[in-house]
Amino acid sequence: MIIRVAEPKDAYGIARVRVNGWRTTYRGIVPTDFLLKLSSNAVEWAEKVRDALSQREVDGYVAVVDEEIVGFVLYGAERTGKYPEHSNEVYAIYVLEEHQGNGLGSRLLEKAVEAMSSSGMIIWALELNPHRSFYEQKQGEVIDEKERTFGEIALREVAYGWTKANYDAIIGA
């Protein structure tokens, strides 16, 4: 397995992992209609990711096995400006289900943290996400919450935060 910097050419592989990640992680949580529509929106989302990577609005890493992207992390500046101690944000981190449980998610998050070590960061996750414990094991603290609507259902999202001082929980320093 290789972990390397994400490039614009990786956008469609990243979109494929995102769609699969949403479908396996949020099955039974997010309405099925929403999950089914992810495929039809995948090309548009991939093009946005490609453009954002090209223009350096977003940075990231991909995990590659046999020339196929099996995981990714995308990160950059925190989008709202509401969290002065957390000026970075992980926008998305997904690993295909068949590649989970071997430390790949930790390695991707570690790479992102090493790259944005100038300040703290946040990650938003649905409260019902069965993988939220991943952030808790890395000593992320819930610093905020909000509602997010999926079709006709509103679900709570929570923001996990790390200050630069507690990045060692992620990078093992």
Side-chain angles (χ1 to χ4, degrees):
M1 179 174 316
I2 298 168
I3 295 180
R4 63 169 172 75
V5 171
E7 300 174 21
K9 69 178 183 171
D10 299 323
Y12 293 96
I14 289 170
R16 182 186 60 80
V17 171
R18 177 181 177 257
V19 168
N20 288 330
W22 267 81
R23 287 188 175 159
T24 57
T25 301
Y26 298 119
R27 182 180 29 238
I29 298 170
V30 171
T32 303
D33 300 6
F34 181 87
L35 296 175
L36 292 174
K37 287 180 187 173
L38 287 174
S39 290
S40 61
N41 297 334
V43 171
E44 179 182 331
W45 191 79
E47 290 171 0
K48 286 180 185 178
V49 168
R50 184 192 64 223
D51 292 346
L53 286 167
S54 294
Q55 297 169 16
R56 303 293 306 191
E57 296 169 354
V58 169
D59 289 306
Y61 288 92
V62 292
V64 181
V65 173
D66 297 328
E67 299 183 28
E68 178 184 352
I69 294 173
V70 299
F72 73 90
V73 61
L74 296 176
Y75 60 90
E78 192 276 319
R79 295 174 274 193
T80 68
K82 288 176 49 177
Y83 312 97
E85 288 189 357
H86 307 88
S87 62
N88 298 300
E89 182 173 350
V90 169
Y91 307 132
I93 180 169
Y94 290 98
V95 174
L96 291 177
E97 188 173 47
E98 59 270 24
H99 292 276
Q100 293 174 3
N102 63 4
L104 180 54
S106 293
R107 290 174 43 211
L108 286 165
L109 187 59
E110 222 176 273
K111 291 292 236 178
V113 166
E114 288 171 354
M116 60 182 173
S117 63
S118 62
S119 176
M121 72 167 182
I122 65 168
I123 297 174
W124 286 94
L126 287 179
E127 187 175 53
L128 296 175
N129 180 335
H131 303 291
R132 268 184 51 198
S133 61
F134 174 74
Y135 306 125
E136 293 163 0
Q137 291 168 356
K138 305 230 175 269
Q139 299 178 12
E141 296 180 19
V142 175
I143 61 169
D144 204 354
E145 60 182 52
K146 65 182 177 184
E147 274 194 0
R148 185 167 170 193
T149 304
F150 298 89
E152 295 183 17
I153 187 170
L155 297 172
R156 185 182 324 274
E157 269 190 316
V158 294
Y160 284 94
W162 291 261
T163 62
K164 183 179 177 186
N166 68 357
Y167 273 172
D168 60 343
I170 296 172
I171 59 175

